[in-house]
Amino acid sequence: MPMWMLLSLACRTSTPVSAPATTTMTSTAPDVVRFVALGDGGEGNATQRRVAEAVQKVCQERGCDLVLYLGDNLYPDGPVSVDDPQFHDKFEAPYAELDLPFMVVLGNHDFGERPFDQEKAALEVAYAQTSDKWTMPGRFYDFVAGPAQFYALDTNEIMVWDELNQAGWMERAQRGSDRPWQIAFGHHPYISNGKHGSAGSYEGLPAIPIANGAKLKEFLDARVCGQVDLYLSGHDHNRQWLEPQCGTQFAVSGAAAKLTPLEHRGVPTAFEDDSKAGFLWVELAGDTLTAAFYDEQAQLDHQTTLTRSP
């Protein structure tokens, strides 16, 4: 495995919303990347602040290079302008002590409640030009960090419009990647025991494709299953480390600010919890993945270590 003197975070935008961004950060272990994944945080409430404090503590103890921010960034109806005070109250203020880039994707609430408004999504992309923390070069994009290639998806667009050819973009990006680890993240889960459930049967609505995630399942079957090592999502407000399916590991980390109950849909899990807010910490080092779920008090609830074939 090649050794990198720097942890390079190079983002490539996939849509003409904004220019590509490139950030380089010094790493104490250049062949390792450590990151946090959490979603559904856009409340600005006490729970979000406690989770942020727990992230800070764990990152001080175990190290962190970046955060994957898994959507529903501004509840309940997304932004009204780039200067919307919600960006401060529900993002900048709660995470003020975290000096890390947040790699942001869009959740369904970031398009507004009803009807969906793509201009609200554009405002979130544009906000990245004004923030030192919020990193979002496009509605979907990829970047490299140490030994991993990351793919940030707009799962809403795939479900509702499916006009931006994310499948073609991701296939080209995967074909051109030279990193041993492949990580994808988006708002909606592939599989989940939570309230919303799994792609293709979201909300128990198998006959309504725009709502049930059938298009998203088709996309994830083609571009994530067996193509990436780990897919991370939110949407369900709990924490789940699911048993692997279709050659890929899956986790749900949507408990950054509030909770919804698990519904025990029969999807096998190694760990699931709906009683405490929290987040997922991940380390990729050599051929080893270590993933740890922490609660809002920075207490370790579950840790798993996996080894991939070189």
Side-chain angles (χ1 to χ4, degrees), residues 39-57:
D40 305 86
E43 291 282 357
N45 60 13
T47 301
Q48 185 184 10
R49 293 190 292 273
R50 285 195 298 271
V51 171
E53 291 170 1
V55 170
Q56 182 183 17
K57 182 176 181 181

Side-chain angles (χ1 to χ4, degrees), residues 12 38 98 105 117 124-125 175 192 198 208 273:
R12 295 187 302 202
L38 73 167
L98 288 171
V105 295
D117 183 352
E124 293 205 6
V125 175
R175 194 165 54 238
S192 172
S198 300
I208 308 175
D273 177 77

Side-chain angles (χ1 to χ4, degrees), residues 254-277:
K258 58 185 177 181
L259 298 169
T260 53
L262 292 159
E263 297 201 359
H264 309 293
R265 297 176 179 274
V267 182
T269 59
F271 169 80
E272 58 182 35
D273 177 77
D274 59 4
S275 66
K276 297 183 291 184

Side-chain angles (χ1 to χ4, degrees), residues 157-213:
E157 193 279 331
I158 296 168
M159 288 176 59
V160 179
W161 299 283
D162 198 22
E163 297 173 347
L164 298 180
N165 192 23
Q166 290 187 64
W169 153 76
M170 191 169 178
E171 181 180 10
R172 290 189 297 273
Q174 289 171 319
R175 194 165 54 238
S177 176
D178 63 355
R179 293 307 194 262
W181 288 97
Q182 302 284 300
I183 310 295
F185 62 107
H187 182 63
H188 294 83
Y190 180 70
I191 48 176
S192 172
N193 280 318
K195 174 184 176 182
H196 295 300
S198 300
S201 59
Y202 292 146
E203 321 302 337
L205 298 171
I208 308 175
I210 198 170
N212 69 18

Side-chain angles (χ1 to χ4, degrees), residues 102-125:
F102 278 60
M103 314 308 293
V104 183
V105 295
L106 296 160
N108 50 290
H109 282 276
D110 300 308
F111 288 83
E113 291 192 283
R114 286 183 179 84
F116 273 9
D117 183 352
Q118 297 197 61
E119 289 303 313
K120 289 179 177 283
L123 291 172
E124 293 205 6
V125 175

